[in-house]
Amino acid sequence: MSYLDELNEAQRKAVEYNEGPQLVIAGAGSGKTRVLTYKIAYLLEHGVHAGNILALTFTNKAAREMKSRIANLVGEQVARYLWMGTFHSICTRILRQEAELIGYTRDFTIYDTTDSKSVIKHIVKDMQLDEKVYKPNVILSRISLAKNQLLSPTSYSSNRDYTMQDRFARIPEVSRIYVEYNRRLKACNAMDFDDLLFMTNTLFKNHVEVLHKYQEYFRYILVDEYQDTNYSQYLIVKRLAEPDNHICVVGDDAQSIYSFRGANIENILTFQKGYDNAQLFKLERNYRSTQTIVNAANSLIRHNRGQIPKAVYSELALGDRLQLSTYMSDRDEGKAVAQQVKLLHREGYDYESIAILYRTNAQSRVIEDELRHLGIPYRIYGGMSFYQRKEIKDAIAYFRLAVNPHDNEAFARVINYPLRGIGETTVLKVREASRLAACSMMEVICNPEAAKLDVSAATQKKLTVFAEMINGFGARVATTDAYEFATMVMRDTGVMREAKADTSQEGIARLENLEEMLAGIHEFVDQQLREGISFTPMTEFLSEVSLLTDQDEKQDDNQPRITLLTVHSAKGLEFKVTFIVGLEENLFPSQFCQAPKEIEEERRLLYVAITRAMERCYLTNARQRFRNGQTQFSSPSRFLKDIDTCYVQQTQTMSSFPPQPIKNQSTTSVASHVSSNFSSSKLKSVSKQVGGNTLKTRKEVRSEWKKQDRVVHKVFGAGLVLDVYHENDNDKIDIQFDNVGKKTLLLTYAKLMHE
């Protein structure tokens, strides 16, 4: 049987057409990789030499997979001559051959991100700019954006939009740094990743004879994930395809989600205008998901204006409706998801077939906690466990050092974070002095003469300032609760200030993670309080975290696990069951994406998330979420209204998991066993007798809260005040909560708000 017989009619037409420019719009799960693979095999079978075919992908993994499939069809000896790889790898091959024409040697070095940041760091220092303002990752992000738009340093400095943005961000010297950065790379015979594309464009523009040579080489050009191309990539493809324009681009405008990396959706939307007689092919049959999942995704994405219309359909089973659940808090949401995962596993779903998707990495913290609690194994795809992220480990190192100043590893981690002018040489000297004097590194900098520390007076002053700061924290460990302590440390060390100053995508993610860590500590303290523990020092939280970390490290890597990942990381993957959590305004869509085009991309992001599901899809959100150091009330994502209600089953808003009763508070223990429909007077009469002992008489207290007030608690939600009183040396408040029944809280710690 011919391999063409394995294709449906639409796929086969796309494979067999080779008469000119061709746009293949491949809906989610429609078999685009198969079409690309078979199209190359078809070209080879019809006399096109492998060396005349250029196939461009976005990941090395995709290139290897396609080449392997082609080798199985046509043989390894033929497939080996294909020009197939990522844009960067193909451009590198070209530049190795032609480097001397643009002033490089063929053995030029390729700098990775770490190398580039190091160069920028030294430039900032040499220019005597503020290192806390001109952060390497921010500057590199600006330079990368410019290079992908083919803006040279000269063009950048004369571009009003870019220079105005730099002034607004208080980094007006970016253009000068860009000039010096390029000069230093050139002096080192080095290019960064963006240069590989930039220099290829420069080569083709300035040396037409070279362009003609490669146009002769590449008689047929195929591009995967065309919706993700930036301007630099678009122009390389455009130039190479001329004049015959034997080009086939495959992609899905509905899955264009990488504008923050420079991807331009207009490249795919306007393809037919840019190439005369371009033919459009649509792959609309979805082989992955049930009919209901496909229809729900279609009903969502049709609200976007900027798109190429298509009617994706599925011939698989009708399937279950999407399940939409709203919870009182993000903690309730995490518990519900974890319990549902447990139920699905009991039904026969392997953990490997289940994924939890979220908009931001910071959301994983609550979910990880609940999965651990139920003993559900998990992995973080394309990332790491929340408490293993660098910014979190840095923050916790400060806490560790304040609690235990002899912790040398914590000391070394934070001594120059944020930057305070204490270099690696100094740290090595402190470490060596510590070894020789048989004392901790903190003791060395507190008593430099006794430890015979050989550093300059200026350096010793910096070390002394650091030591005084840490010792100051240490003096407050025993008297400040963990949340207040953590907030103080993050503020006084400058860690939060540093994070807020970094406006790059990575910087925003780090800030969100730090804020989520503080939220976790706040939650931990509150939970201790609900269990009757009135004071929780930082030492208790550190013990909790260290146990969680140890558990992670001891997990068997071969054990089947569910997958936790951001929606951006999920593109190209599929799972039998997906949970999409945090579907709230200012989270999904992101608070940073409010312009019309940005909202459309956020909607495409949710489309990608939904179409990862093969059999079941769960959508969740919370009415309140602890973010940015406080409880914030949330409204459902606007996108939920875009999904046709006939494809969604919505559960009642609820707080499914009320916390355990407060220990050592007898009235609460009794009240928790009384039906929530009892009247206030009955509840009071019951609470007067506990274990045969009569409690002290209640007394009225002065408070802003009065009977019949409507209030909101960050965990329990909305409720009605039943009574406010003084009893057993504590001011208390009884509240009949709408979702969890009657609770008695300590007034000092209740932290209530008006509804």
Side-chain angles (χ1 to χ4, degrees):
M1 182 180 72
S2 169
Y3 59 84
L4 294 178
D5 294 335
E6 300 176 19
L7 304 173
N8 64 37
E9 183 179 357
Q11 292 172 332
R12 183 162 183 158
K13 286 181 178 179
V15 166
E16 292 180 335
Y17 181 83
N18 292 301
E19 298 174 14
Q22 172 183 14
L23 170 61
V24 180
I25 294 297
S30 62
K32 71 175 180 65
T33 302
R34 172 173 286 191
V35 167
L36 274 170
T37 302
Y38 286 13
K39 189 172 187 68
I40 293 172
Y42 186 82
L43 289 170
L44 294 170
E45 190 178 75
H46 285 74
V48 179
H49 190 274
N52 294 136
I53 298 174
L54 170 63
L56 294 164
T57 66
F58 273 83
T59 66
N60 290 310
K61 179 182 177 183
R64 287 193 300 268
E65 182 180 327
M66 285 178 57
K67 201 161 190 175
S68 175
R69 291 190 188 185
I70 293 167
N72 289 335
L73 292 172
V74 301
E76 177 65 36
Q77 293 303 312
V78 175
R80 64 186 294 189
Y81 293 105
L82 290 168
W83 283 68
M84 178 176 286
T86 64
F87 276 89
H88 292 91
S89 66
I90 296 299
C91 287
T92 300
R93 287 181 65 181
I94 293 172
L95 291 172
R96 292 287 184 204
Q97 295 296 318
E98 317 295 342
E100 294 174 2
L101 294 175
I102 53 174
Y104 289 81
T105 64
R106 293 187 178 187
D107 58 351
F108 63 84
T109 300
I110 299 174
Y111 276 9
D112 62 15
T113 302
T114 302
D115 297 324
S116 295
K117 287 181 179 179
S118 179
V119 173
I120 291 172
K121 181 179 178 180
H122 286 104
I123 292 172
V124 169
K125 185 176 181 180
D126 293 345
M127 288 184 173
Q128 298 183 334
L129 299 173
D130 190 340
E131 297 176 42
K132 296 178 181 178
V133 176
Y134 288 87
K135 301 177 183 299
N137 55 325
V138 175
I139 305 304
L140 184 59
S141 176
R142 296 293 293 162
I143 293 174
S144 176
L145 185 63
K147 288 186 177 182
N148 285 327
Q149 291 297 319
L150 300 182
L151 288 175
S152 67
T154 303
S155 300
Y156 186 97
S157 61
S158 61
N159 186 296
R160 179 177 171 79
D161 289 340
Y162 281 84
T163 53
M164 286 295 290
Q165 289 174 21
D166 291 341
R167 290 194 189 98
F168 183 77
R170 298 181 179 179
I171 46 174
E173 301 297 332
V174 170
S175 58
R176 284 180 57 214
I177 297 172
Y178 186 7
V179 171
E180 180 61 15
Y181 173 72
N182 266 20
R183 189 195 69 78
R184 294 194 184 188
L185 259 63
K186 185 68 177 297
C188 295
N189 192 37
M191 299 184 197
D192 64 19
F193 267 57
D194 298 310
D195 281 329
L196 298 175
L197 305 179
F198 187 99
M199 292 300 179
T200 301
N201 270 300
T202 300
L203 175 69
F204 290 163
K205 179 182 178 181
N206 296 340
H207 299 275
V208 179
E209 73 285 359
V210 175
L211 174 61
H212 289 166
K213 179 174 71 172
Y214 287 98
Q215 287 172 342
E216 285 294 317
Y217 279 172
F218 306 135
R219 307 309 297 270
Y220 288 87
I221 300 175
L222 302 95
V223 186
D224 190 16
E225 304 287 7
Y226 191 68
Q227 78 279 351
D228 294 334
T229 53
N230 59 33
Y231 178 65
S232 185
Q233 291 162 333
Y234 158 81
L235 204 55
I236 289 171
V237 171
K238 180 77 172 172
R239 283 172 164 154
L240 286 174
E242 295 172 344
D244 296 332
N245 287 331
H246 284 150
I247 178 173
C248 171
V249 302
V250 182
D252 183 6
D253 54 288
Q255 297 187 66
S256 178
I257 59 174
Y258 295 121
S259 64
F260 66 92
R261 295 180 186 170
N264 185 1
I265 191 175
E266 294 300 319
N267 291 348
I268 195 168
L269 294 180
T270 62
F271 180 85
Q272 290 175 275
K273 295 180 181 178
Y275 290 87
D276 293 337
N277 302 315
Q279 297 296 306
L280 174 64
F281 297 81
K282 296 180 181 180
L283 307 183
E284 297 174 307
R285 180 178 175 182
N286 181 300
Y287 288 89
R288 174 189 300 151
S289 308
T290 64
Q291 295 179 39
T292 299
I293 291 173
V294 169
N295 291 338
N298 287 344
S299 69
L300 168 73
I301 203 63
R302 69 166 174 248
H303 291 274
N304 271 13
R305 292 185 177 183
Q307 64 174 299
I308 297 172
K310 55 184 174 296
V312 180
Y313 66 95
S314 170
E315 294 184 358
L316 299 177
L318 181 63
D320 297 333
R321 287 188 289 173
L322 282 67
Q323 301 293 308
L324 171 60
S325 301
T326 300
Y327 300 96
M328 283 305 303
S329 69
D330 50 348
R331 175 59 63 181
D332 285 335
E333 178 187 53
K335 288 183 177 180
V337 168
Q339 289 201 358
Q340 186 61 45
V341 168
K342 201 76 172 178
L343 290 174
L344 288 165
H345 187 58
R346 289 173 184 167
E347 288 180 22
Y349 283 97
D350 295 334
Y351 283 136
E352 293 281 350
S353 68
I354 302 172
I356 301 174
L357 281 61
Y358 35 77
R359 179 64 181 83
T360 66
N361 277 308
Q363 290 170 258
S364 77
R365 196 266 310 169
V366 171
I367 296 168
E368 289 185 62
D369 287 350
E370 298 305 330
L371 292 173
R372 288 193 195 97
H373 181 70
L374 292 183
I376 298 172
Y378 68 89
R379 69 166 58 86
I380 305 291
Y381 181 88
M384 58 188 72
S385 174
F386 183 82
Y387 289 108
Q388 293 300 310
R389 290 170 182 149
K390 180 185 181 301
E391 60 273 17
I392 303 303
K393 289 177 74 69
D394 289 340
I396 288 176
Y398 267 117
F399 306 153
R400 285 168 45 190
L401 190 59
V403 169
N404 174 21
H406 302 299
D407 188 335
N408 281 353
E409 293 308 309
F411 178 97
R413 190 174 187 97
V414 300
I415 182 64
N416 199 37
Y417 171 73
L419 295 175
R420 48 177 62 91
I422 301 172
E424 291 184 12
T425 301
T426 299
V427 175
L428 289 173
K429 287 182 178 180
V430 173
R431 189 182 291 276
E432 180 63 11
S434 166
R435 185 185 68 82
L436 294 174
C439 63
S440 70
M441 295 174 75
M442 179 63 77
E443 288 175 308
V444 168
I445 67 173
C446 289
N447 300 285
E449 293 181 2
K452 299 180 180 179
L453 179 62
D454 182 20
V455 294
S456 67
T459 298
Q460 181 55 52
K461 184 177 181 180
K462 294 174 184 176
L463 293 172
T464 300
V465 169
F466 176 78
E468 289 174 348
M469 178 180 69
I470 297 299
N471 289 333
F473 295 152
R476 298 189 61 179
V477 167
T479 58
T480 310
D481 79 44
Y483 175 68
E484 293 179 14
F485 185 83
T487 303
M488 172 188 68
V489 171
M490 292 295 92
R491 180 191 65 234
D492 293 353
T493 57
V495 168
M496 292 303 287
R497 183 171 61 251
E498 164 117 343
K500 289 176 181 178
D502 186 348
T503 56
S504 67
Q505 288 287 334
E506 296 82 358
I508 291 170
R510 280 191 289 272
L511 176 60
E512 289 176 339
N513 288 337
L514 288 169
E515 289 172 339
E516 183 63 20
M517 177 199 69
L518 291 175
I521 299 173
H522 185 281
E523 200 172 78
F524 179 73
V525 171
D526 271 8
Q527 180 62 38
Q528 296 284 92
L529 183 62
R530 289 196 295 273
E531 294 179 0
I533 301 171
S534 60
F535 177 72
T536 304
M538 176 53 69
T539 49
E540 291 296 319
F541 177 75
L542 289 176
S543 296
E544 183 80 3
V545 171
S546 64
L547 289 174
L548 294 177
T549 304
D550 286 344
Q551 183 180 3
D552 287 343
E553 291 172 354
K554 292 175 183 177
Q555 289 177 337
D556 179 6
D557 288 339
N558 295 321
Q559 181 182 12
R561 306 172 188 272
I562 70 167
T563 303
L564 275 61
L565 70 172
T566 64
V567 182
H568 281 103
S569 300
K571 189 167 176 290
L573 304 177
E574 59 183 33
F575 304 90
K576 287 184 178 180
V577 182
T578 63
F579 292 83
I580 308 169
V581 301
L583 285 166
E584 300 143 29
E585 284 295 297
N586 296 322
L587 185 56
F588 202 162
S590 167
Q591 61 183 320
F592 303 108
C593 301
Q594 296 302 322
K597 285 188 176 181
E598 294 171 340
I599 290 296
E600 292 213 344
E601 178 157 332
E602 290 286 297
R603 188 179 284 111
R604 292 194 295 269
L605 193 58
L606 180 54
Y607 175 85
V608 168
I610 292 173
T611 54
R612 299 311 94 195
M614 301 168 69
E615 297 178 7
R616 296 190 187 183
C617 183
Y618 295 83
L619 313 175
T620 70
N621 55 25
R623 289 177 60 182
Q624 55 191 35
R625 191 174 293 273
F626 197 86
R627 300 178 68 193
N628 305 321
Q630 60 183 349
T631 298
Q632 297 182 356
F633 288 89
S634 306
S635 56
S637 170
R638 70 189 74 182
F639 298 146
L640 293 174
K641 295 179 181 178
D642 294 341
I643 304 174
D644 196 314
T645 54
C646 69
Y647 304 123
V648 179
Q649 181 175 339
Q650 187 166 2
T651 60
Q652 183 179 0
T653 301
M654 59 183 176
S655 178
S656 304
F657 307 94
Q660 296 297 313
I662 301 175
K663 295 178 181 178
N664 302 323
Q665 296 294 327
S666 302
T667 54
T668 302
S669 299
V670 174
S672 67
H673 290 87
V674 180
S675 174
S676 61
N677 61 6
F678 269 30
S679 67
S680 174
S681 60
K682 288 181 179 179
L683 285 171
K684 289 179 182 177
S685 65
V686 171
S687 64
K688 287 181 180 178
Q689 293 290 331
V690 181
N693 297 323
T694 303
L695 297 174
K696 294 182 181 179
T697 305
R698 294 185 175 188
K699 300 178 183 178
E700 291 186 3
V701 296
R702 298 185 64 180
S703 168
E704 64 174 306
W705 308 113
K706 296 178 177 58
K707 294 180 182 179
Q708 303 303 308
D709 281 351
R710 293 288 299 176
V711 297
V712 176
H713 185 272
K714 87 174 194 70
V715 174
F716 304 140
L720 180 72
V721 175
L722 302 178
D723 202 1
V724 184
Y725 54 93
H726 182 85
E727 183 181 68
N728 291 354
D729 298 322
N730 285 304
D731 293 337
K732 301 179 181 180
I733 184 168
D734 289 346
I735 304 173
Q736 184 71 27
F737 289 102
D738 298 345
N739 293 291
V740 298
K742 191 254 187 183
K743 296 289 179 185
T744 299
L745 307 176
L746 299 181
L747 193 58
T748 304
Y749 299 104
K751 298 181 181 178
L752 301 170
M753 294 183 290
H754 290 282
E755 186 176 30

